[in-house]
Amino acid sequence: MELKLYNSLTSKVEVFHPLKEGEVSMYVCGPTVYNYPHIGNMRPVVVFDVLSSLLQHLGYHVTYVSNYTDVDDKIIQESVSEGKSEVEITSFYINEYENTVKSIGSKLPTMTPKVTDYIPQTINYIDGLIQKGHAYEVNGNVYFDVNSVPNYGQLSHINKQDLIVGARVEENPEKKSALDFALWKKTDVGIRWDSPWGSGRPGWHTECCVMVDSIFNHQLIDIHGGGYDLKFPHHENEIAQSMGYNGHALANYWVHNSFINIENEKMSKSLGNVILAKDLVAKYSGPVVRLVILSTHYRQTVNFTDEVLENANNEMKKLKATAKQARLYLATNNRDFSLKNTQFLDEFLNSLCDDLNTSNALMSVYDLEKKINAHLRSKDLDVDLLANEYGSLLEMLDILGLNLELKSLNQASLDMYDQYLKARADKDFALSDSLRSELIARDVL
């Protein structure tokens, strides 16, 4: 099946062709770990988890890398504020972030490197850029010379002169150009390392470049992803460094997800509408929050409202109820429900392969849910067909990372269900009501 992705580098939807047959290399910029993740941080987590799952379903071996930025001014400020070391701060919030990632139904990436684990490689990388004539040192600070590489602005499609005229960047007398950015920052505050240019720490834009370069052995990778807000300057500056160091644009496909709004407003501290992901998950559950994110195409803004969340909650309840009924019928008839017929999966997969159109893919999920319900009500129920429908539904939900959170169905529960049916048939309502309550508590009904 042919996968198409919107490539920000070319501004086109393109057929995906991996660099190596059967393998996909993917890097997604991760969080700066100084606080609990807000709901906006979960958008790329969900989007690229689904992309990874889809690629694996299509038969690719995926190496999915997403980093932790564990050295930053905000981390140092938090360290001072809490009276703890930077390592204590970052270790705590990495753990919290990973708990939230799992709670929302995403798997952890193949690798989750930390910036602080790549300091020697970072120093070597910066030194290499200096040696190649793409960077320069001034008073212990090292800057990248954007005029040393062609096509700066090729990803964001921004003209260098327009940036300068529009005063989009701060003036710095140390820089050759106002657009030049820091690779190494001289500092005597907070966490820092010795280097050929003095004590300091790496610049943000260099950190991701170094990790990609080190992990993927200086090679071009297939997909580089992240939020739309990283397109400029972060990803643009990554490309510039990679062009200078390796002569290639770091990745073949650049994929960017859009933002999350709260009640039709952009989420921001100034508006006081920043919602922590863990709080939303605690209130509605991870699958419900994930469903809201998936209900909108990744390149469109997701709008979180109470109504949208309640609707998603109801949809998850209906899906779970349908799945429980189908599972119970198949189990009581001793039928294998792992069977799948591609007729139910094709439309779903075609939607996902069309630039990861999760909103259309969900329509296939809901259509199959209706088919299963209609089938369960049918007098001439085809057990094999039901098994294929149910197995296909589980496959779809697995690819989307939507966990119905069903409890295991053991023999004791099935025996109790038989007792419940007999009590109901015998019109022993007291017993049937008691058994029904217990079956609901066991998540059988």
Side-chain angles (χ1 to χ4, degrees), residues 158-169 171 177-179:
I158 295 175
N159 183 279
K160 285 190 291 186
Q161 193 57 38
D162 289 342
L163 280 173
I164 296 171
V165 171
R168 292 277 302 277
V169 290
E171 289 291 340
S177 165
L179 297 177

Side-chain angles (χ1 to χ4, degrees), residues 2 20 28 62 147 151 179 213 284 319 328 333 385 388:
E2 192 175 73
K20 293 181 180 178
V28 177
V62 180
N147 289 315
N151 302 321
L179 297 177
D213 192 70
Y284 288 99
L319 278 168
L328 189 57
N333 284 274
L385 179 59
N388 281 322

Side-chain angles (χ1 to χ4, degrees), residues 268-282:
S268 68
K269 290 182 180 179
S270 61
L271 292 174
N273 63 350
V274 175
I275 299 177
L276 297 181
K278 69 182 182 70
D279 294 341
L280 209 55
V281 167

Side-chain angles (χ1 to χ4, degrees), residues 17-38:
H17 295 294
L19 292 161
K20 293 181 180 178
E21 186 176 354
E23 298 182 20
V24 175
S25 50
M26 181 166 71
Y27 182 93
V28 177
C29 291
T32 301
V33 281
Y34 68 98
N35 204 341
Y36 295 101
H38 56 69

Side-chain angles (χ1 to χ4, degrees), residues 141-195:
N141 295 305
V142 181
Y143 300 98
F144 186 87
D145 182 358
V146 298
N147 289 315
S148 70
V149 293
N151 302 321
Y152 182 79
Q154 60 181 294
L155 177 67
S156 52
H157 309 293
I158 295 175
N159 183 279
K160 285 190 291 186
Q161 193 57 38
D162 289 342
L163 280 173
I164 296 171
V165 171
R168 292 277 302 277
V169 290
E170 295 179 5
E171 289 291 340
N172 183 331
E174 287 188 348
K175 297 180 180 181
K176 293 180 180 179
S177 165
L179 297 177
D180 293 351
F181 54 90
L183 304 181
W184 187 263
K185 300 177 180 180
K186 180 177 67 174
T187 185
D188 56 6
V189 178
I191 190 169
R192 55 197 181 275
W193 294 266
D194 291 331
S195 78

